[in-house]
Amino acid sequence: MPRDPHVKLFIPGPVEVRPQILAAQTAPMIGHRSPEYADLHARVVPKLRPLFGTAGRVFIVTASGSGLQEAAVRNCVRRRCLCLVNGAFGARWHQVALANGKQADALEVSWGEAIRPEQVDDRLRTGGYEAVTVVFNETSTGLLNPLPEIAAVVRQHPDVLLLVDAVSAAGGVEIRADEWGVDVCLTSSQKALALPPGLALCSVSDRAMARAESVPDRGWYFDFLQYEKYAAKNHTPATPAISLIRALDAQLDAIAAEGWQARFARHRRLMGQVHAWVGAGGFDFFAEEGYRSPTVTAVRNTRGVDVGALNAYLRRRGMLISDGYGPLKGETFRVAHMGDATDEEISELLEAMSEFMEET
Ligand SMILES: Cc1ncc(COP(=O)(O)O)c(C=O)c1O
């Protein structure tokens, strides 16, 4: 079957998946209640712990990250939660909470500005919140919220759980869920983990499990208590995406071989390359200084570049970046530097972008 010419993805997910990892999906199928599956599951779970910085439980869920946004609020909120919003995915999680019948209040900060721990503390002091939702790395704005500091404030409110979306952070930025006191930390496979889409992963604290026991309408598919019960047998409640879990198994070995700290350092290095290009090209950043993301840069399009034309130019060279998200389309464009991207690949991309600027 003829294939489309390969275009390397520098969009903030899905990102490029290396051929060896794609190939890991093609092993013959096994039953999900078989000993072979239980072995695979048992092998993968411990390898996922460093992703979240936890010594505790990790669930493998067949869904995209949004499924676990829903799971977190369904399992951890009876009535009322506070949703921190400074970008599209924070806003999405607020919508998800409302759609699940929760009284969800938004703490909104201008897009591109970080959420400050004092703002969270002020709201929590008003009382009545059972959980806080926060997006660690806002993919829409290229901003990394100060999660350790926010977590420290939330921890001063003993009955409030901290639910973290690390969809475009996990695998590219260090997370210390146990140390920081994160109760649910969730991610998707298609971002800094450099896997195909279709898996969602999360760490879940004992406090979150205890809360889930007291929440009556958790639903079925994303019920953490069901996940816990089946995890005891290295199973999942429903049929999991076995081929994707095989790819995850292979990728976690590759990440361990690279070294987690080396991987985080590479992400910061790639960010540095992109930042240098932004400065040299006379562009600006959308996210405020001090909080710029190590996995995706949102460039403020101060030179009025035609992003469609830029991407058409890049596509002819086998590469693709992303336009701004939603309302930021045209006003920004985004370059993802996450996953398994190398220094050379980012250099090649940035050179091609510079050539486009010179030619137009
Ligand atoms: C920060 C963040 N949260 C949530 C999502 C939604 O994840 P998914 O598309 O895996 O459902 C995305 C997707 O881009 C994201 O970037």
Side-chain angles (χ1 to χ4, degrees):
M1 213 182 358
R3 288 222 217 159
D4 291 340
H6 183 66
V7 175
K8 271 191 201 161
L9 299 179
F10 297 94
I11 61 174
V15 302
E16 204 55 23
V17 182
R18 289 179 303 118
Q20 308 88 292
I21 303 304
L22 288 173
Q25 298 176 97
T26 61
M29 201 36 59
I30 53 176
H32 67 297
R33 301 294 181 225
S34 67
E36 290 83 2
Y37 177 77
D39 285 350
L40 172 67
H41 194 102
R43 200 163 61 235
V44 170
V45 166
K47 292 192 279 191
L48 278 171
R49 293 201 174 102
L51 177 69
F52 298 111
T54 185
R57 68 179 68 63
V58 171
F59 295 143
I60 303 170
V61 178
T62 296
S64 78
S66 308
L68 281 180
Q69 283 193 337
E70 182 147 304
V73 291
R74 287 204 75 133
N75 281 274
C76 297
V77 181
R78 276 181 302 264
R79 279 182 301 279
R80 195 153 171 245
C81 62
L82 179 66
C83 300
L84 312 187
V85 178
N86 60 341
F89 294 102
R92 169 81 63 75
W93 210 353
H94 180 225
Q95 289 306 314
V96 167
L98 291 171
N100 279 282
K102 310 300 174 188
Q103 291 171 32
D105 295 343
L107 190 174
E108 292 205 53
V109 169
S110 298
W111 287 28
E113 276 176 31
I115 293 161
R116 299 320 204 255
E118 314 79 71
Q119 298 169 312
V120 181
D121 197 34
D122 286 349
R123 285 298 281 274
L124 290 182
R125 279 175 193 282
T126 63
Y129 292 113
E130 298 156 50
V132 171
T133 72
V134 59
V135 174
F136 188 10
N137 191 71
E138 242 313 338
T139 322
S140 58
T141 58
L143 184 140
L144 191 74
N145 276 308
L147 181 59
E149 291 80 6
I150 292 172
V153 157
V154 176
R155 288 283 62 86
Q156 286 163 21
H157 300 264
D159 298 329
V160 182
L161 297 182
L162 178 59
L163 315 178
V164 174
D165 171 329
V167 165
S168 57
V173 182
E174 184 162 29
I175 299 170
R176 298 186 183 176
D178 289 356
E179 185 184 318
W180 298 341
V182 173
D183 292 295
V184 175
C185 188
L186 64 96
T187 194
S188 319
S189 48
Q190 76 276 14
K191 311 263 180 186
L193 278 172
L195 287 163
L199 282 183
L201 310 158
C202 63
S203 66
V204 181
S205 72
D206 290 343
R207 284 156 34 101
M209 292 305 291
R211 172 68 59 77
E213 282 176 26
S214 73
V215 178
D217 51 353
R218 299 183 302 276
W220 189 89
Y221 189 73
F222 293 119
D223 178 4
F224 285 165
L225 300 189
Q226 289 281 345
Y227 268 89
E228 177 91 321
K229 191 173 122 201
Y230 281 85
K233 293 182 283 182
N234 288 307
H235 285 170
T236 52
T239 317
I242 294 168
S243 308
L244 287 170
I245 297 173
R246 284 193 167 126
L248 173 64
D249 186 29
Q251 179 65 338
L252 289 169
D253 287 342
I255 294 175
E258 179 182 15
W260 286 93
Q261 291 303 328
R263 188 176 182 84
F264 303 142
R266 174 169 55 75
H267 278 80
R268 284 193 299 275
R269 214 167 54 232
L270 301 184
M271 173 187 78
Q273 277 193 59
V274 175
H275 281 199
W277 181 91
V278 170
F283 288 99
D284 202 352
F285 299 94
F286 188 76
E288 71 170 301
E289 199 175 352
Y291 299 93
R292 290 174 191 150
S293 163
T295 61
V296 55
T297 297
V299 183
R300 205 181 273 281
N301 191 4
T302 43
R303 288 175 57 180
V305 168
D306 179 342
V307 180
L310 167 61
N311 246 343
Y313 181 91
L314 291 174
R315 188 183 274 281
R316 288 196 293 278
R317 281 153 188 76
M319 295 174 268
L320 199 67
I321 62 162
S322 184
D323 208 328
Y325 189 94
L328 300 178
K329 201 170 184 305
E331 192 190 326
T332 63
F333 53 90
R334 292 174 300 159
V335 180
H337 31 88
M338 64 171 94
D340 293 335
T342 63
D343 300 72
E344 294 72 30
E345 285 170 331
I346 294 292
S347 296
E348 197 190 343
L349 170 71
L350 296 174
E351 260 168 46
M353 288 169 64
S354 295
E355 278 161 24
F356 172 83
M357 304 297 166
E358 283 157 22
E359 288 174 24
T360 51

